[in-house]
Amino acid sequence: MTVLPDLLQPDLEIVFCGTAPGTVSARRGAYYAGPGNAFWPTLFEVGLTPMRIVPDEYPTITQFGLGLTDLAKHVYGADSVLTATDFGRDELRAKILHYRPRILAFTSKRAGQEFLGSSVSYGLQEEKIGSTMLFVLTSPSGLARRHWNVQPWRDLAMLQCSTKGG
């Protein structure tokens, strides 16, 4: 059984992919629900949503061309407790090929590294899934606060804006 349902539909602008839901998110049944998580405020701050959305309203983001999934769909908790067998790389690849978002944005370096099988830098990656661009963001988790930098999120918003309709 999945911890949180995917929020996917054809031709979204950006699908955000975390490693796995955190404990608070799993308990509340809502993406990025931890009290220190910067995900929802950052989407608004960088202009990807026209208003600040709260975690319980997560299903509404498809109206802004955004979707949600996780690399590990059947477990939850901090990245430090996840193992290589928790990640569904092939499943994620199949979903992205099916739904064809313009950008798949990993919401942590760990998610990007686990999916691509190599170390990654923040920002746009050379690899693609079909025509979908891959992008790695700093983790919005409160547990990763010391590594937080909003600039990759701004860069994603600029990329999304510059390639929209193209």
Side-chain angles (χ1 to χ4, degrees):
M1 185 169 143
T2 61
V3 177
L4 290 174
D6 287 331
L7 194 57
L8 301 172
Q9 63 189 41
D11 302 315
L12 291 167
E13 290 291 316
I14 303 169
V15 169
F16 293 96
C17 180
T19 48
T23 303
V24 173
S25 292
R27 192 177 312 123
R28 284 185 54 188
Y31 281 90
Y32 304 100
N37 199 298
F39 182 82
W40 299 107
T42 301
L43 290 186
F44 174 65
E45 178 186 333
V46 302
L48 290 172
T49 59
M51 68 201 62
R52 185 168 170 181
I53 298 168
V54 296
D56 295 331
E57 299 171 335
Y58 79 87
T60 67
I61 71 164
T62 58
Q63 67 187 299
F64 309 117
L66 307 176
L68 297 166
T69 191
D70 288 298
L71 190 53
K73 294 300 295 176
H74 306 286
V75 297
Y76 64 91
D79 281 5
S80 60
V81 303
L82 302 174
T83 66
T85 59
D86 293 326
F87 301 110
R89 293 169 195 83
D90 294 340
E91 294 88 346
L92 178 59
R93 182 174 299 281
K95 289 175 195 177
I96 297 306
L97 286 169
H98 176 76
Y99 290 107
R100 302 174 319 276
R102 284 194 321 107
I103 303 167
L104 174 62
F106 295 101
T107 60
S108 72
K109 227 179 203 186
R110 171 88 187 266
Q113 288 175 175
E114 291 292 342
F115 181 77
L116 292 168
S118 62
S119 64
V120 296
S121 297
Y122 295 118
L124 187 63
Q125 305 300 298
E126 289 184 22
E127 297 86 347
K128 287 185 173 187
I129 301 173
S131 62
T132 299
M133 295 178 276
L134 305 182
F135 202 96
V136 176
L137 297 163
T138 51
S139 174
S141 171
L143 296 174
R145 187 62 55 221
R146 65 188 172 107
H147 300 290
W148 175 249
N149 182 347
V150 73
Q151 191 58 50
W153 293 77
R154 288 187 179 121
D155 295 344
L156 174 64
M158 289 177 56
L159 175 66
Q160 188 267 342
C161 186
S162 71
T163 61
K164 198 171 197 169

